[in-house]
């Protein structure tokens, strides 16, 4: 893989008293690194220029950096005009890095994702890199269809195997898993299965949800739902006390996100579930922005309903999503968003009555997304093989590393500085100078995949990400902003 040389490498070279950095053909030197090199009077040279031995080798993530026990609390951002100003006193509250995934293992896994040879893939909050296993699974379906023809028995079996792999990820029973084309479909099936005719008709939602979830609840106001919003605060977070205040004896269900898509703010799901249940409310968790990077045990966390698609950290593709519904709750819900695969026996082909399945498949609808299931099962197998607990260890380290890089470059972020309250996403403010969609396009020209949302460009590593790729991306962002 080509190496990205950043300002961090220049500082490291200077700290050793050296004035030359030896690189390989094809390596990339960022504009910020070039400027830093000129200031430090450091030059670059290649082996082709007559050097027989490389004297310089970067170590972009020294142990002292990743294990530093930051203790100062994060300082809130303020907003002046249309620009966010981040105080210089902001400090990172890190967590100990255990190195559960070794660098050699990272290198092995990187070979599974071909795009990583040439691209810094940091848009995993939107779409993960394509793996060879997922591509092979897609071809397996196409070859089966092309060679066998109609093979519904094996295709439906593949859907069930994908459900089982998702169940394994969240420590559920496969009979508690439903499948649909999107989270929107699955939340809709729950929303219209609830009874809003009694005292409990209040649905507590938040401004941190991905819009589709809130839109579903708002649409069900016509059926009697009363939607009440919890706002995010000036730090783009939600105080736990807000759940205590909003959830009451009239609350039927509390719908929350595990990680805020905009800035990576991560919530304590088990604690919120405890608050909701103490007041008689069900809890629905949208885990789309977190699942695969943080261990989830739906039983230990007392989650009633959980939904997630698979195209982000789970290495899947669009067009398929899963939902967990606790077995004790399934029989109480009769969805009107339904279809023949939601029946006990879809292949009876009866038309005169609904005979909902006794399992979570009662929330399935029509013909399942078969091709997508092939791809998703392969992606889920990778996550389960690597293990979310090990992935979290690396994601937390990379997350702290990204925040440190933001501070060193005097960029502005709206993400939490407490790693315990942060998913993998680091949101960097760019909208005051460059529209986030434009920033995303400009980064692609530099072989960086980020994800723009609103006023920010999001960098979201996965376990296969190298710290130097984060440095490179941050240098590119700084260079773009400095030139505007």
């Amino acid at each position: 893989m080509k190496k990205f040389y950043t300002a961090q490498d220049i500082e490291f070279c200077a700290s050793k008293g050296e004035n030359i950095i030896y690189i390989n053909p094809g390596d990339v030197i960022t504009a910020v690194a070039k400027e830093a090199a000129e200031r430090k009077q450091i030059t670059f040279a290649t082996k082709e220029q007559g050097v027989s031995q490389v004297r310089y080798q970067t170590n972009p993530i020294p142990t002292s950096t990743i294990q530093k026990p930051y203790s100062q609390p994060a300082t809130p951002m303020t907003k002046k005009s249309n620009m966010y100003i981040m105080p210089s006193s902001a400090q990172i509250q890190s967590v100990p890095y255990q190195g559960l995934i070794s660098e050699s293992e990272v290198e092995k896994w990187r070979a599974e994702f071909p795009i990583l040879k040439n691209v810094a893939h940091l848009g995993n909050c939107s779409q993960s890199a394509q793996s060879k296993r997922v591509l092979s699974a897609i071809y397996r379906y196409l070859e089966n269809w092309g060679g066998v023809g109609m093979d519904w028995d094996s295709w439906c079996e593949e859907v069930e195997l994908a459900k089982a792999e998702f169940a394994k990820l969240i420590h559920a029973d496969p009979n508690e898993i439903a499948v649909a084309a999107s989270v929107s479909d699955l939340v809709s099936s729950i929303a219209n299965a609830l009874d809003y005719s009694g005292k409990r008709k209040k649905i507590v939602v938040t401004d941190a949800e991905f819009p589709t979830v809130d839109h579903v609840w708002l649409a069900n106001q016509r059926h009697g739902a009363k939607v009440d919003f919890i706002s995010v605060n000036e730090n783009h977070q939600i105080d736990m006390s807000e759940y205590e205040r909003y959830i009451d004896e009239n609350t039927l269900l509390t719908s929350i996100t595990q990680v805020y898509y905009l800035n990576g703010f991560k919530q304590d799901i088990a604690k919120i579930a405890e608050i909701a249940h103490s007041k008689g409310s069900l809890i629905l968790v949208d885990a789309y922005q977190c699942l695969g990077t943080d261990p989830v045990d739906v039983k230990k966390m007392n989650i009633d309903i959980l939904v997630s698609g698979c195209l982000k950290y789970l290495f899947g593709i669009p067009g398929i999503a899963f939902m967990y519904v606790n077995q004790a709750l399934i029989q109480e819900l009769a969805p009107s968003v339904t279809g023949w695969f939601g029946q006990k026996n879809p292949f009876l082909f009866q038309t005169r009555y609904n005979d909902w399945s006794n399992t979570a498949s009662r929330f399935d609808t029509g013909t399942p997304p078969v091709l997508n299931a092939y791809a998703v099962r392969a992606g889920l197998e990778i996550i389960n093989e690597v293990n979310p607990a090990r992935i979290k260890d690396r994601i937390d380290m990379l997350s702290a590393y990204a925040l440190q890089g933001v501070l060193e470059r005097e960029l502005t972020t709206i993400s939490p500085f407490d790693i315990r309250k942060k998913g993998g996403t680091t949101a960097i403010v760019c909208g005051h100078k460059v529209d986030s969609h434009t920033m995303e396009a400009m980064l692609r020209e530099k072989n960086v995949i980020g994800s723009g949302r609103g006023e920010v460009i999001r960098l979201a590593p996965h376990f296969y990400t190298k710290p130097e790729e984060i440095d490179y991306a941050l240098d590119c962002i700084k260079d773009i902003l400095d030139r505007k």
Side-chain angles (χ1 to χ4, degrees):
M1 175 190 168
K2 68 176 68 175
K3 178 171 176 55
F4 303 114
Y5 286 92
T6 71
Q8 295 290 97
D9 298 319
I10 304 302
E11 293 297 328
F12 181 73
C13 182
S15 71
K16 295 178 64 177
E18 299 182 357
N19 59 8
I20 187 168
I21 297 176
Y22 292 95
I23 65 175
N24 294 313
D27 286 349
V28 177
I29 305 169
T30 69
V32 177
K34 291 178 181 178
E35 293 174 2
E38 290 176 3
R39 291 196 303 271
K40 300 285 187 179
Q41 296 185 329
I42 292 173
T43 58
F44 293 89
T46 66
K47 294 180 181 180
E48 279 70 15
Q49 293 173 312
V51 179
S52 59
Q53 184 177 2
V54 176
R55 291 166 49 203
Y56 174 81
Q57 182 177 359
T58 61
N59 181 15
I61 185 159
T63 303
S64 59
T65 299
I66 60 178
Q67 295 182 341
K68 184 178 179 180
Y70 297 98
S71 59
Q72 295 298 318
T75 308
M77 241 76 70
T78 58
K79 189 175 182 181
K80 295 182 179 180
S81 300
N82 290 320
M83 294 179 61
Y84 291 90
I85 309 298
M86 187 167 64
S88 59
S89 59
Q91 296 290 328
I92 303 167
Q93 292 180 272
S94 191
V95 294
Y97 175 50
Q98 302 176 64
L100 299 180
I101 303 178
S102 68
E103 293 303 317
S104 61
E105 186 177 356
V106 170
E107 288 293 343
K108 182 198 77 171
W109 277 110
R110 284 177 68 87
E112 176 68 27
F113 301 87
I115 195 173
L116 302 182
K117 292 179 180 179
N118 299 304
V119 172
H121 196 296
L122 296 168
N124 297 285
C125 57
S126 184
Q127 172 70 64
S128 61
Q130 183 192 94
S131 78
K132 294 178 181 177
R133 292 192 193 184
V134 168
L135 184 60
S136 177
I138 292 172
Y139 283 142
R140 185 161 59 89
Y141 165 75
L142 295 175
E143 289 169 357
N144 174 260
W145 179 26
V148 177
M150 184 180 68
D151 194 7
W152 280 106
D153 286 343
S154 67
W155 295 347
C156 289
E157 181 184 6
E158 190 71 26
V159 173
E160 294 305 311
L161 290 172
K163 283 186 178 182
E165 201 66 38
F166 185 83
K168 178 180 178 181
L169 176 66
I170 62 173
H171 297 88
D173 187 281
N175 287 328
E176 296 175 302
I177 306 300
V179 65
S182 69
V183 163
S184 299
D185 293 342
L186 292 168
V187 175
S188 293
S189 69
I190 292 294
N192 63 61
L194 297 174
D195 182 2
Y196 304 107
S197 63
K199 177 183 176 181
R200 288 187 181 272
K201 60 182 65 179
K202 179 177 173 182
I203 305 296
V204 173
V205 299
T206 81
D207 285 326
E209 310 312 303
F210 192 76
T212 193
V213 177
D214 288 343
H215 294 160
V216 168
W217 294 118
L218 289 170
N220 276 270
Q221 289 183 125
R222 73 183 68 176
H223 301 306
K226 181 181 181 299
V227 180
D228 206 353
F229 280 85
I230 299 177
S231 300
V232 295
N233 60 26
E234 67 277 8
N235 295 329
H236 304 275
Q237 301 178 31
I238 298 173
D239 296 324
M240 192 64 68
S241 61
E242 293 292 272
Y243 289 104
E244 293 277 10
R245 186 158 70 94
Y246 276 83
I247 304 173
D248 57 26
E249 67 279 0
N250 296 319
T251 304
L252 178 59
L253 182 143
T254 302
S255 181
I256 62 171
T257 184
Q258 187 170 11
V259 166
Y260 186 8
Y261 73 92
L262 183 65
N263 71 335
F265 165 60
K266 181 166 63 178
Q267 303 199 89
D268 187 339
I269 299 301
K271 180 61 178 176
I272 300 171
E274 181 182 344
I275 294 171
H277 291 155
S278 71
K279 300 187 179 184
S281 168
L282 296 171
I283 184 170
L284 182 150
V285 177
D286 177 1
Y288 215 146
Q289 282 288 341
C290 191
L291 204 56
T293 66
D294 204 349
V296 170
D297 188 321
V298 291
K299 304 301 182 181
K300 290 181 179 179
M301 298 166 77
N302 290 318
I303 297 172
D304 299 304
I305 305 161
L306 179 144
V307 294
S308 180
C310 301
L311 64 133
K312 303 183 190 299
Y313 298 101
L314 299 180
F315 304 129
I317 61 177
I320 186 169
F322 295 103
M323 178 168 67
Y324 156 80
V325 182
N326 186 284
Q327 183 64 51
L329 182 62
I330 291 173
Q331 306 303 318
E332 299 179 19
L333 301 173
S336 58
V337 172
T338 188
W340 65 309
F341 271 86
Q343 309 297 299
K344 284 182 180 177
N345 185 352
F347 297 99
L348 280 179
F349 298 106
Q350 58 79 21
T351 59
R352 292 300 183 104
Y353 58 89
N354 276 316
D355 187 22
W356 283 290
S357 169
N358 292 326
T359 72
S361 65
R362 69 167 48 199
F363 302 102
D364 295 355
T365 55
T367 304
V370 175
L371 169 61
N372 312 63
Y374 274 77
V376 162
R377 179 188 166 202
L380 287 167
E381 285 176 342
I382 293 175
I383 289 294
N384 283 327
E385 182 177 337
V386 181
N387 191 322
R390 298 171 71 229
I391 295 174
K392 180 182 185 299
D393 178 57
R394 185 168 178 88
I395 290 290
D396 284 348
M397 176 272 287
L398 293 170
S399 192
Y401 190 85
L403 288 173
Q404 189 65 42
V406 166
L407 292 176
E408 290 171 353
R409 291 165 179 81
E410 297 183 336
L411 297 169
T412 302
T413 180
I414 60 171
S415 294
F417 278 78
D418 186 345
I419 299 302
R420 296 167 298 180
K421 296 181 179 180
K422 183 177 183 298
T425 296
T426 300
I428 301 161
V429 177
C430 65
H432 59 293
K433 289 189 175 182
V434 181
D435 171 80
S436 63
H437 184 71
T438 301
M439 172 65 81
E440 182 180 322
M442 295 175 76
L443 288 176
R444 282 182 177 272
E445 293 177 357
K446 298 175 181 291
N447 288 333
V448 175
I449 297 178
S451 177
R453 285 290 183 273
E455 296 293 303
V456 302
I457 183 73
R458 301 177 300 170
L459 299 182
H462 212 317
F463 79 90
Y464 47 50
T465 303
K466 290 185 174 182
E468 66 189 67
E469 292 175 313
I470 295 174
D471 281 325
Y472 174 62
L474 291 173
D475 276 359
C476 289
I477 292 170
K478 180 173 176 56
D479 180 54
I480 292 169
L481 293 178
D482 285 348
R483 294 175 186 274
K484 293 295 180 179

